[in-house]
Amino acid sequence: MAERYVLDLQEIDETQVAVVGGKGAHLGGLSRIEGIRVPDGFCVTTDAFRRIMADAPSMDGLLNQLSRLNADDREAVRTLSARIRRTIEEIAIPDDLAEAITGALARHGEQAAYAVRSSATAEDLPTASFAGQQDTYLNVVGPTAVLQHVSRCWASLFTERAVTYRRRGGIDHRTVHMAVVVQRMVFPEAAGILFTADPVTGNRKAATVDAGLGLGEALVSGLVNPDVFTVRDGQVVARTIAAKQRALHALPAGGTREVAIDAQRQEQPALTDEQVVRLVELGRRIEAHFGRPQDIEWCLDGDDFHIVQSRPITTLFPVPETGDQENHVYVSVGHQQMMTDPMKPLGLSMWQLTAMAPMQEAGGRLFVDVTRRLGSPASRAALLDLVGRGDPLVRDALETVLDRDDFVPSLPDAGPGGPPSGHTSAPIETDPAIVTELIERSQASIAALERDIRTKTGPALFDFLLEAFEEHKRVLGDPLSMQVIMAGMEATWWLNDKLQEWLGEKNAADTLTLSAPDNITSEMGLALLGVADVIRPHPEVVAFLEGVEDDGFLDELVKLPGGTQARDAIETYLGRYGMRCVGEIDITRPRWRERPSTLVPVILDNVRHFEPGAAERRFEEGRQRALQQEQDVLSRLRALPDGERKADETKRMIDRVRTFIGYREYPKYGIVNRYFVYKQALMKEAERLVRAGVLPEKEDIFYLTFQELHDVVRSNQADDRLVQQRKEAFRSYEALTPPRVLTSDGEAVTGAYRRDDVPSGALAGLPVSAGTVEGRARVILDMAEADLKAGDILVTTYTDPSWSPLFVSVAGLVTEVGGLMTHGAVIAREYGLPAVVGVDRATRLIRDGQRIRVHGADGYVEILS
């Protein structure tokens, strides 16, 4: 029995987290790598912890109390966690367990000094870095002291910080167990931390070493400033040497103390360059073993490095896998598509199969490799111009990479991969019938898809879908559709450039595009005002909707007076727009049709804040303002030299922009329509797989790629482990922020605005819809939790078309992601909302409820209170 309580480090590898905790398993793995020295020692296993917990009769009640506490009630958490720690420390260690530990000490040197360190089963996992949540005790001497500190490590599972962290992460206290690592002490000349990738930029080729004199704990706890070295390609390329006034040393009888450092030693580096380079080589060996960048604690004894800890760096954004050693530059697709959340595997693979360009996946996000286009001068200029108009931060990030010597290989001009020029065929006439025809083509194609997919099931469905994806791409790449989109955008740019040059008007097109016809997304926002008009006269329906919790409410509505009309109005709306939702490029996201309760808060807001007929009035007011602006601009132009020509050209461009700009939103609507048809067919297959016992739940198909799902349907067999791994990976991706630009070295390049016209303290962004507005900031990350009052300014990460129903009730818009032609910008202009997008970290720098002023024409946001 005794050997289950204690295992030597040499017997352990990284698969044994459940037995020896994260730290113990990692140390066991480390001790098996050739050339890596890990201080000798053993682990007291989680079996020992379970035995102790079972020996305390009061423990069960205390843990029940703990699980009922609110994580924010700090006083109650503090009191109860202290009581649990005291209870654990007072439990007498049973004889057989104590003998197992003292027997291991006798093998390793009974009177030697040890480090006693806690190792929780949930610690240092890739998905939740619990670093520093539990305790470490240094220089513990003698069996009695070791046993006492083992008890303290067990108790440290219930420090206030660890308890709160678990509550916030939704981790059950009973599922986490504590092992204890007992290792021979090293008394180092120097110690510190090595990151095998730059933890700030993410660059995998740069390693950073933090080094201090004495024990490493002084550095980890922030007691002293470290020397910092940066190493690339086997050379120290940067160093900062700190003045070392204090160090932490071990005392012969046990424990540690701070000591002052001699004056002449204070300015000297803790390591030589040769030692730093050698340490990084060891780090690279450890990184190769674990398969990802590591955060490593090391100490130097004589001229030997000992490794005392290694854990993955969990904050780094993953790099797309290419299988070659070339340099690559990637641009984020999510920043173009207004969807920076991670996508599930089925969503990623469906988007890749239906997209017009090849895309790589990393961290649950999609990226386009632009290396070739950056390599040749002609395609580089076109690419920078295109992305720069949309999002200056992407352009600046790409230019930052281009400024680095030789990162992007040069290609001759005629190289493949250049962007197709938008001016290949004759320019199209300004004719509204063209837009009508395109919309009819799209609707006919979707109707055919709905008709033909009905009879398809099993493997035949997948063969059919692969053909449907080709049709999907054909509709999306329709040259006429592309021409219309470009014509609308080019007319906007022309108006903005020329009217600034001729009249000094900034962003003139913003007013000229108000209430443009045929904009499916702005119609969607106004149509929900129409739904509110139907519901408003029926107080019982309004009262019922205020209490709606689940998605079965539509059937309940008909029992109320006015309920049938209300249900019909919502059903009609869902018939036209029910395939939309937040993050809609990910097919796995629940659509409004699947979760209609999402719309209820917005409908109720519309009932409260608007009068009947508001939609028609809003649209007409916008149209009149655009008309007024048009007449004003044209009359001012006619007064200029050569005014008639300027006015005629401008009138042509205004007609062009109003004819074509609304269509800009239609292709996405078509895609999302098709997606919903695909999804409904795939969900039927999922239900069949659940009935056949192949999958436990139908949503499990979201964690398989399209091809993998095809294989499951063919073979009627699924790999449960793969689905579990994918779920864990997805959870870890949710904590990451995707970069706009990423290099194959792993460097996340953010880009900057480089502007001098922004007042100090204001937040710079991209001006996308003119006007200045002041109001209360509502920082909203989930549309379903929007509680907006008239005059509020919406601040969020990104908005896609599904947010547009909220736009009718706000006074302004600020987003972290977005460009001149992304959905939020187009709809803000349609509705005449001052808007600034691409404001870095806006949702963290602006607090909910603060008063802010949005400068829509100048592109910045002032925080007033």
Side-chain angles (χ1 to χ4, degrees):
M1 194 64 188
E3 54 284 345
R4 283 188 52 213
Y5 293 137
V6 168
L7 287 173
D8 258 13
L9 279 181
Q10 267 61 44
E11 304 172 68
I12 297 165
D13 63 31
E14 41 285 43
T15 61
Q16 289 162 281
V17 174
V19 185
V20 294
K23 191 175 290 177
H26 246 77
L27 282 168
L30 279 170
S31 64
R32 290 161 174 254
I33 306 172
E34 198 177 326
I36 301 298
R37 301 185 61 160
V38 175
D40 260 0
F42 59 92
C43 284
V44 183
T45 65
T46 51
D47 287 342
F49 174 76
R50 282 194 201 84
R51 166 89 185 269
I52 286 291
M53 294 296 270
D55 280 357
S58 61
M59 214 59 211
D60 230 33
L62 290 172
L63 287 180
N64 282 338
Q65 269 178 271
L66 191 61
S67 62
R68 284 196 297 271
L69 285 185
N70 178 347
D72 294 324
D73 186 348
R74 301 209 24 201
E75 201 43 54
V77 171
R78 185 175 301 134
T79 313
L80 188 56
S81 54
R83 197 169 142 204
I84 294 173
R85 288 199 303 279
R86 215 168 35 250
T87 307
I88 294 173
E89 287 185 37
E90 285 165 4
I91 299 169
I93 297 181
D95 291 349
D96 58 335
L97 176 47
E99 276 166 26
I101 297 171
T102 51
L105 282 172
R107 284 200 305 283
H108 287 279
E110 197 166 271
Q111 287 307 314
Y114 287 90
V116 182
R117 316 166 77 191
S118 51
S119 175
T121 52
E123 189 176 10
D124 297 343
L125 299 183
T127 48
S129 178
F130 277 71
Q133 293 291 6
Q134 280 87 31
D135 295 359
T136 289
Y137 301 97
L138 298 179
N139 203 25
V140 180
V141 179
T144 314
V146 169
L147 287 171
Q148 182 193 356
H149 285 87
V150 167
S151 287
R152 280 193 189 162
C153 282
W154 288 331
S156 76
L157 192 59
F158 295 96
T159 60
E160 186 190 342
R161 245 177 77 190
V163 166
T164 308
Y165 190 94
R166 288 198 291 273
R167 282 308 300 272
R168 297 233 160 96
I171 299 167
D172 180 355
H173 301 297
R174 292 168 197 274
T175 60
V176 183
H177 301 296
M178 182 64 86
V180 182
V181 177
V182 181
Q183 270 178 298
R184 286 286 293 256
M185 271 292 286
V186 177
F187 296 103
E189 282 93 76
I193 299 158
L194 154 66
F195 293 102
T196 64
D198 185 320
V200 181
T201 66
N203 193 323
R204 309 299 202 268
K205 297 218 170 133
T208 60
V209 174
D210 289 8
L213 299 174
L215 293 167
E217 296 305 307
L219 229 121
V220 177
S221 63
L223 185 69
V224 297
N225 287 331
D227 294 342
V228 182
F229 302 87
T230 304
V231 176
R232 275 188 78 113
D233 304 324
Q235 286 186 322
V236 175
V237 292
R239 64 173 72 65
T240 312
I241 306 305
K244 298 170 217 23
Q245 281 147 10
R246 327 197 63 69
L248 207 58
H249 280 231
L251 297 171
T256 60
R257 74 181 171 104
E258 270 185 65
V259 294
I261 292 172
D262 299 342
Q264 70 274 23
R265 185 78 182 87
Q266 287 184 11
E267 303 294 330
Q268 287 178 353
L271 296 177
T272 65
D273 280 9
E274 180 272 326
Q275 287 171 324
V276 171
V277 170
R278 182 152 48 97
L279 174 61
V280 169
E281 280 166 9
L282 295 176
R284 293 280 175 230
R285 206 173 289 182
I286 294 169
E287 177 181 68
H289 175 84
F290 288 119
R292 51 191 298 187
Q294 298 286 304
D295 160 357
I296 297 166
E297 289 175 33
W298 56 270
C299 48
L300 179 70
D301 180 17
D303 201 29
D304 282 331
F305 284 106
H306 293 263
I307 304 300
V308 292
Q309 171 70 299
S310 181
R311 62 173 81 89
I313 309 176
T314 52
T315 52
L316 296 178
F317 200 85
V319 182
E321 285 175 24
T322 53
D324 63 36
Q325 296 303 306
E326 309 291 312
N327 287 349
H328 294 271
V329 183
Y330 303 100
V331 171
S332 158
V333 172
H335 286 79
Q336 318 292 313
Q337 289 294 342
M338 298 299 93
M339 164 61 179
T340 51
D341 302 348
M343 294 166 72
K344 297 192 176 86
L346 185 63
L348 288 164
S349 64
M350 294 282 278
W351 191 261
Q352 284 171 305
L353 286 165
T354 52
M356 303 305 288
M359 293 176 184
Q360 269 83 6
E361 181 271 329
R365 277 73 167 194
L366 291 168
F367 294 86
V368 171
D369 186 339
V370 294
T371 323
R372 290 195 72 97
R373 285 168 70 171
L374 288 175
S376 84
S379 62
R380 176 190 315 146
L383 176 69
L384 290 175
D385 185 50
L386 192 67
V387 297
R389 282 191 181 272
D391 185 341
L393 291 177
V394 174
R395 178 180 183 134
D396 187 75
L398 290 175
E399 286 175 336
T400 305
V401 176
L402 285 166
D403 286 343
R404 313 240 163 99
D405 298 344
D406 303 337
F407 186 83
V408 176
S410 288
L411 293 168
D413 245 349
S421 154
H423 310 280
T424 41
S425 49
I428 48 173
E429 290 300 306
T430 304
D431 179 1
I434 298 176
V435 174
T436 312
E437 185 200 333
L438 281 170
I439 290 174
E440 281 168 2
R441 276 192 213 172
S442 170
Q443 286 171 338
S445 171
I446 291 164
L449 171 69
E450 285 172 328
R451 185 188 65 233
D452 297 343
I453 205 168
R454 280 196 195 116
T455 54
K456 308 288 188 286
T457 57
L461 169 68
F462 287 81
D463 297 336
F464 171 79
L465 281 173
L466 287 170
E467 284 173 35
F469 296 163
E470 292 311 306
E471 165 67 1
H472 179 124
K473 287 197 273 197
R474 193 191 64 71
V475 172
L476 202 55
D478 181 334
L480 187 62
S481 175
M482 296 293 204
Q483 275 184 291
V484 167
I485 291 171
M486 283 315 292
M489 282 165 46
E490 282 165 0
T492 306
W493 297 333
W494 189 95
L495 286 167
N496 281 339
D497 293 346
K498 291 296 184 192
L499 295 179
Q500 178 142 20
E501 180 191 330
W502 292 337
L503 299 174
E505 287 254 341
K506 268 190 190 167
N507 298 49
D510 294 1
T511 310
L512 295 167
T513 50
L514 285 171
S515 300
D518 295 315
N519 187 322
I520 188 82
T521 309
S522 59
E523 285 166 12
M524 177 170 84
L526 297 174
L528 207 57
L529 287 175
V531 174
D533 285 355
V534 175
I535 288 168
R536 196 178 290 106
H538 305 293
E540 289 174 63
V541 172
V542 174
F544 168 77
L545 289 177
E546 278 166 350
V548 161
E549 303 261 300
D550 61 48
D551 293 309
F553 71 94
L554 287 169
D555 298 333
E556 297 293 308
L557 266 178
V558 290
K559 300 171 187 169
L560 301 168
T564 306
Q565 295 96 301
R567 190 192 65 175
D568 292 350
I570 295 173
E571 283 289 354
T572 304
Y573 186 84
L574 289 171
R576 185 146 165 79
Y577 305 109
M579 75 299 292
R580 308 224 83 148
C581 66
V582 173
E584 58 194 9
I585 71 166
D586 182 353
I587 199 168
T588 72
R589 290 286 193 105
R591 312 282 137 177
W592 290 345
R593 167 50 80 202
E594 297 168 309
R595 202 172 282 174
S597 59
T598 314
L599 289 173
V600 170
V602 194
I603 294 172
L604 288 169
D605 270 351
N606 288 351
V607 167
R608 282 191 287 267
H609 300 321
F610 293 95
E611 297 292 310
E616 292 75 15
R617 272 200 309 283
R618 294 276 308 246
F619 190 78
E620 190 47 37
E621 278 165 19
R623 216 174 62 80
Q624 291 300 334
R625 274 184 59 198
L627 213 58
Q628 188 57 53
Q629 168 85 340
E630 176 180 328
Q631 287 162 352
D632 173 56
V633 162
L634 296 177
S635 70
R636 284 163 59 201
L637 284 171
R638 287 195 183 99
L640 297 175
D642 196 17
E644 282 305 322
R645 182 189 61 82
K646 287 174 179 162
D648 286 351
E649 277 187 40
T650 302
K651 173 68 177 135
R652 266 213 318 282
M653 283 301 176
I654 292 174
D655 290 348
R656 203 163 172 77
V657 100
R658 290 193 69 78
T659 302
F660 291 140
I661 204 69
Y663 177 75
R664 166 83 183 80
E665 292 290 294
Y666 202 87
K668 182 85 167 263
Y669 175 73
I671 292 174
V672 177
N673 253 305
R674 302 178 80 91
Y675 259 32
F676 194 40
V677 179
Y678 306 153
K679 182 178 189 177
Q680 287 168 305
L682 290 173
M683 290 318 280
K684 286 203 185 88
E685 288 301 309
E687 282 160 17
R688 191 185 60 69
L689 291 169
V690 171
R691 283 199 302 276
V694 178
L695 289 174
E697 45 196 58
K698 58 180 195 284
E699 279 79 18
D700 284 353
I701 70 164
F702 297 163
Y703 295 94
L704 300 170
T705 65
F706 181 80
Q707 190 53 57
E708 288 164 349
L709 179 56
H710 190 177
D711 295 341
V712 169
V713 167
R714 256 206 307 263
S715 66
N716 260 341
Q717 284 178 317
D719 180 350
D720 294 341
R721 270 203 337 269
L722 177 69
V723 171
Q724 277 318 112
Q725 279 168 354
R726 294 275 177 77
K727 285 181 180 177
E728 280 169 27
F730 179 75
R731 276 200 294 277
S732 74
Y733 298 152
E734 286 183 297
L736 300 174
T737 304
R740 280 177 165 82
V741 170
L742 180 68
T743 72
S744 47
D745 285 355
E747 187 173 357
V749 194
T750 42
Y753 281 107
R754 311 196 191 282
R755 287 167 47 186
D756 47 18
D757 59 342
V758 175
S760 98
L763 309 176
L766 185 64
V768 295
S769 182
T772 302
V773 66
E774 195 176 300
R776 176 178 71 148
R778 293 312 317 266
V779 180
I780 294 170
L781 302 177
D782 177 356
M783 184 178 144
E785 284 160 23
D787 173 20
L788 295 159
K789 304 265 186 303
D792 283 350
I793 296 169
L794 173 61
V795 180
T796 188
T797 353
Y798 63 81
T799 62
D800 58 15
S802 72
W803 286 71
S804 62
L806 292 185
F807 284 21
V808 296
S809 58
V810 297
L813 173 70
V814 179
T815 67
E816 294 184 349
V817 175
L820 203 58
M821 283 295 162
T822 48
H823 303 275
V826 173
I827 306 307
R829 290 194 288 272
E830 284 270 305
Y831 286 171
L833 288 182
V836 180
V837 301
V839 179
D840 196 33
R841 302 200 312 278
T843 59
R844 281 170 275 179
L845 297 172
I846 299 171
R847 286 199 310 280
D848 188 51
Q850 278 183 318
R851 279 195 77 70
I852 61 173
R853 190 181 294 133
V854 177
H855 294 263
D858 295 317
Y860 63 87
V861 181
E862 288 179 285
I863 299 175
L864 304 175
S865 68

